[in-house]
Amino acid sequence: MRVVHSPLHLLHEPPFEVFSGHPGPAWEVTARAESIRAALAADPAFALELPAEHGLELALAVHEPGLVRFLAEAWPAWQASGERPAALMADTFPYPRSRSARRRPPEPRAPGGRVGYWSFDTTSPITAGTWIAARAALDVALTAADAVLAGDVVAYGLCRPPGHHAGRSTFGGYCYLNNAAVVVARLLGAGAGRIGILDLDFHHGNGTQEIFWERGDVPYASLHGDPHRVYPYFSGHADETGEGAGAGATFNQPLPAGTDDTAYLTALDRSLDWLAGRHDGIVVVSLGIDTYGLDPICDFALTTPAYHEAGRRVAATGARLVILQEGGYHVAHLGENVRLWLRGAAGLTPDAAARPGDGG
Ligand code: Q9C
Ligand code: ZN
């Protein structure tokens, strides 16, 4: 299986995040992607490669161009303003329920105002290398998509930063550009017909859902922690099913704390049944491993063998898969869990060492 990764992710090292009133160390750290890269590099079933540059045309189609422009300019503009903090992060957001501000306000000039205008939370700092890393993650995703368009049955993009929380006009949740959504745009443009999205991250993919909310040709299925309980709080409920041409093309399964392997795999089967027949052969997988029982910021109870079984079941649908990395914060076990998911998706046994003939 081709594995696309870029060392440019190392330039994005958020120094902190603010969540539930706690200023704390960032969870979305460089060591995450390095854990995955190391695990895959040690397994001959995977061939690591660098991404090809793809430019920003598709990102500008999926996202509001002002967001892309802001992300590109934010750090230099912040530096030029004379501010010198470790990272640029929003503290003030537009509030659309204000009766006197129902029309969209203009984008302010101040960098601190601009960042609130284009984001929705306080967990996604912009640092000196954030834009370069976000662009590289997009190139990673698009290069994996190219492999599938060229005939590979499955390809994996080791995206960092992740993407599924980024909406058309907003970044947040450690995500800046929506890698999965831009890949879907690429596949649609290549004439691949209806593209399925299977979002397996612990958190609801609010950005991806929003981008395809009114699209009937991009069915979106997600299983995730119930937003009544967990981030991103404001989307992911079961009664969100799409609108307009997209009516019925969104399928959310909010799940309880402690969801274990059996319950998760049952919900996964429901998502796969729902997706079957709604796409024309290619499914983009937003692969979050923050469903892991030991994940430090999430509350599911999955164990390592479930990841191999999940990958196996997704691939057994016969869909061709563009698999993109999203979350997963238990760094020590992250690489192994991803490796096993991908081995399952490749139709390989869990353990390379035990069955040396399986590689390739
Ligand atoms: N202490 C992704 O998994 N912060 N984003 C929660 C809990 C927001 C998750 C912190 C979680 C964002 C891609
Ligand atoms: Zn997540």
Side-chain angles (χ1 to χ4, degrees):
M1 184 187 304
R2 285 166 70 178
V3 166
V4 190
H5 81 103
S6 168
L8 292 176
H9 84 87
L10 294 165
L11 298 174
H12 174 58
E13 182 85 271
F16 60 87
E17 62 180 64
V18 181
F19 193 74
S20 291
H22 302 285
W27 291 105
E28 204 293 285
V29 294
T30 56
R32 297 180 54 249
E34 293 305 297
S35 166
I36 299 169
R37 189 188 53 74
L40 300 182
D43 184 335
F46 302 100
L48 276 62
E49 62 180 84
L50 295 170
E53 279 189 35
H54 282 72
L56 287 172
E57 195 183 328
L58 286 165
L60 289 163
V62 165
H63 293 288
E64 185 174 341
L67 169 62
V68 178
R69 190 181 323 123
F70 169 73
L71 291 171
E73 293 174 0
W75 184 257
W78 187 230
Q79 296 302 295
S81 77
E83 299 278 356
R84 289 288 185 278
L88 172 59
M89 176 186 284
D91 45 58
T92 311
F93 303 90
Y95 28 99
R97 281 193 303 278
S98 163
R99 279 200 298 144
S100 61
R102 273 198 188 134
R103 285 178 308 161
R104 189 173 176 178
E107 181 178 356
R109 274 194 304 277
R114 289 181 78 191
V115 69
Y117 185 85
W118 292 114
S119 67
F120 62 83
D121 71 13
T122 58
T123 72
S124 312
I126 291 176
T127 68
T130 298
W131 174 240
I132 293 171
R135 279 194 69 161
L138 194 58
D139 283 335
V140 162
L142 288 166
T143 304
D146 288 344
V148 170
L149 283 172
D152 286 15
V153 173
V154 53
Y156 171 70
L158 205 183
C159 298
R160 180 180 178 273
H164 76 149
H165 293 304
R168 170 162 167 76
S169 305
T170 45
F171 72 95
Y174 315 152
C175 303
Y176 302 86
L177 298 171
N178 193 313
N179 305 311
V182 177
V183 158
V184 167
R186 167 87 181 96
L187 298 170
L188 290 170
R194 298 168 300 165
I195 307 299
I197 303 177
L198 177 63
D199 193 325
L200 301 180
D201 190 273
F202 171 83
H203 303 95
H204 181 246
N206 55 317
T208 309
Q209 170 172 296
E210 174 221 293
I211 288 166
F212 298 111
W213 184 244
E214 298 184 57
R215 294 289 298 246
D217 53 352
V218 187
Y220 174 76
S222 178
L223 36 161
H224 46 264
D226 190 328
H228 280 301
R229 180 177 89 251
V230 293
Y231 185 98
Y233 301 124
F234 309 122
S235 72
H237 298 287
D239 64 358
E240 297 164 21
T241 55
E243 285 185 280
T250 293
F251 178 45
N252 287 314
Q253 293 188 75
L255 299 170
T259 292
D260 63 8
D261 294 350
T262 306
Y264 178 87
L265 290 168
T266 300
L268 174 63
D269 284 343
R270 277 197 293 271
S271 288
L272 295 175
D273 287 348
W274 181 86
L275 273 174
R278 285 186 160 87
H279 63 83
D280 290 312
I282 303 183
V283 170
V284 175
V285 180
S286 272
L287 180 60
I289 301 289
D290 36 10
T291 47
Y292 188 42
L294 299 178
D295 194 279
I297 65 174
C298 301
D299 66 11
F300 284 180
L302 268 63
T303 67
T304 292
Y307 292 109
H308 182 266
E309 178 61 12
R312 192 192 69 72
R313 290 191 192 190
V314 173
T317 65
R320 292 152 68 207
L321 305 175
V322 182
I323 304 163
L324 304 176
Q325 190 61 44
E326 300 284 358
Y329 306 98
H330 189 286
V331 171
H333 297 177
L334 178 59
E336 183 62 4
N337 286 337
V338 170
R339 187 181 76 90
L340 289 172
W341 203 102
L342 296 178
R343 284 187 68 88
L348 302 172
T349 58
D351 192 345
R355 303 273 185 93
D358 282 343

